[in-house]
Short mmCIF file of all heavy atoms in Angstrom, two decimals:
data_model
loop_
_atom_site.label_atom_id
_atom_site.label_comp_id
_atom_site.label_asym_id
_atom_site.label_seq_id
_atom_site.Cartn_x
_atom_site.Cartn_y
_atom_site.Cartn_z
N SER Y 291 -181.37 -4.78 179.06
CA SER Y 291 -180.14 -5.48 178.69
C SER Y 291 -179.01 -5.15 179.66
O SER Y 291 -179.03 -4.11 180.33
CB SER Y 291 -179.71 -5.09 177.26
OG SER Y 291 -179.80 -3.70 177.08
N ILE Y 292 -178.09 -6.08 179.72
CA ILE Y 292 -176.86 -5.86 180.49
C ILE Y 292 -175.71 -6.00 179.51
O ILE Y 292 -175.53 -7.05 178.89
CB ILE Y 292 -176.72 -6.90 181.62
CG1 ILE Y 292 -177.83 -6.68 182.67
CG2 ILE Y 292 -175.34 -6.84 182.27
CD1 ILE Y 292 -177.80 -7.66 183.82
N ILE Y 293 -174.98 -4.92 179.34
CA ILE Y 293 -173.86 -4.93 178.38
C ILE Y 293 -172.57 -5.05 179.18
O ILE Y 293 -172.29 -4.21 180.03
CB ILE Y 293 -173.85 -3.63 177.54
CG1 ILE Y 293 -175.20 -3.45 176.82
CG2 ILE Y 293 -172.69 -3.64 176.56
CD1 ILE Y 293 -175.62 -4.60 175.93
N TYR Y 294 -171.84 -6.16 178.91
CA TYR Y 294 -170.62 -6.36 179.71
C TYR Y 294 -169.35 -6.09 178.92
O TYR Y 294 -169.27 -6.31 177.71
CB TYR Y 294 -170.58 -7.78 180.30
CG TYR Y 294 -170.60 -8.89 179.27
CD1 TYR Y 294 -169.44 -9.27 178.61
CD2 TYR Y 294 -171.78 -9.56 178.97
CE1 TYR Y 294 -169.45 -10.29 177.67
CE2 TYR Y 294 -171.80 -10.57 178.03
CZ TYR Y 294 -170.64 -10.92 177.39
OH TYR Y 294 -170.65 -11.92 176.44
N GLY Y 295 -168.39 -5.55 179.69
CA GLY Y 295 -167.04 -5.37 179.16
C GLY Y 295 -166.13 -5.58 180.36
O GLY Y 295 -165.47 -4.65 180.81
N THR Y 296 -166.19 -6.78 180.88
CA THR Y 296 -165.60 -7.09 182.19
C THR Y 296 -164.12 -6.70 182.22
O THR Y 296 -163.74 -5.75 182.89
CB THR Y 296 -165.77 -8.59 182.52
OG1 THR Y 296 -167.06 -9.00 182.07
CG2 THR Y 296 -165.64 -8.83 184.02
N VAL Y 297 -163.31 -7.47 181.54
CA VAL Y 297 -161.92 -7.08 181.31
C VAL Y 297 -161.58 -7.52 179.90
O VAL Y 297 -162.24 -8.38 179.33
CB VAL Y 297 -160.92 -7.77 182.30
CG1 VAL Y 297 -161.10 -7.25 183.70
CG2 VAL Y 297 -161.05 -9.27 182.28
N ARG Y 298 -160.55 -6.91 179.34
CA ARG Y 298 -160.14 -7.27 177.99
C ARG Y 298 -159.25 -8.51 178.09
O ARG Y 298 -158.06 -8.41 178.39
CB ARG Y 298 -159.38 -6.12 177.38
CG ARG Y 298 -159.50 -6.04 175.90
CD ARG Y 298 -158.85 -4.76 175.44
NE ARG Y 298 -159.81 -3.91 174.78
CZ ARG Y 298 -160.04 -3.99 173.46
NH1 ARG Y 298 -159.41 -4.88 172.72
NH2 ARG Y 298 -160.91 -3.18 172.91
N GLN Y 299 -159.84 -9.66 177.83
CA GLN Y 299 -159.11 -10.92 177.94
C GLN Y 299 -158.53 -11.29 176.58
O GLN Y 299 -159.27 -11.52 175.63
CB GLN Y 299 -160.05 -12.03 178.44
CG GLN Y 299 -159.46 -13.43 178.39
CD GLN Y 299 -158.15 -13.57 179.15
OE1 GLN Y 299 -158.07 -13.24 180.33
NE2 GLN Y 299 -157.10 -14.03 178.48
N PRO Y 300 -157.18 -11.31 176.45
CA PRO Y 300 -156.60 -11.75 175.17
C PRO Y 300 -157.18 -13.09 174.73
O PRO Y 300 -157.51 -13.93 175.56
CB PRO Y 300 -155.11 -11.88 175.50
CG PRO Y 300 -154.88 -10.95 176.63
CD PRO Y 300 -156.15 -10.96 177.43
N ARG Y 301 -157.31 -13.26 173.44
CA ARG Y 301 -157.76 -14.56 172.91
C ARG Y 301 -156.59 -15.52 173.03
O ARG Y 301 -155.83 -15.76 172.10
CB ARG Y 301 -158.19 -14.41 171.46
CG ARG Y 301 -159.46 -13.59 171.31
CD ARG Y 301 -160.00 -13.66 169.88
NE ARG Y 301 -161.18 -12.85 169.73
CZ ARG Y 301 -161.23 -11.70 169.04
NH1 ARG Y 301 -160.15 -11.24 168.44
NH2 ARG Y 301 -162.35 -11.03 168.95
N LEU Y 302 -156.48 -16.03 174.22
CA LEU Y 302 -155.29 -16.78 174.61
C LEU Y 302 -155.24 -18.17 173.97
O LEU Y 302 -154.16 -18.77 173.87
CB LEU Y 302 -155.30 -16.91 176.14
CG LEU Y 302 -154.04 -17.44 176.78
CD1 LEU Y 302 -152.95 -16.38 176.73
CD2 LEU Y 302 -154.30 -17.81 178.24
#
Side-chain angles (χ1 to χ4, degrees):
Chain Y
S291 46
I292 294 180
I293 303 303
Y294 59 81
T296 321
V297 291
R298 209 173 240 272
Q299 171 56 54
R301 292 190 181 108
L302 191 73

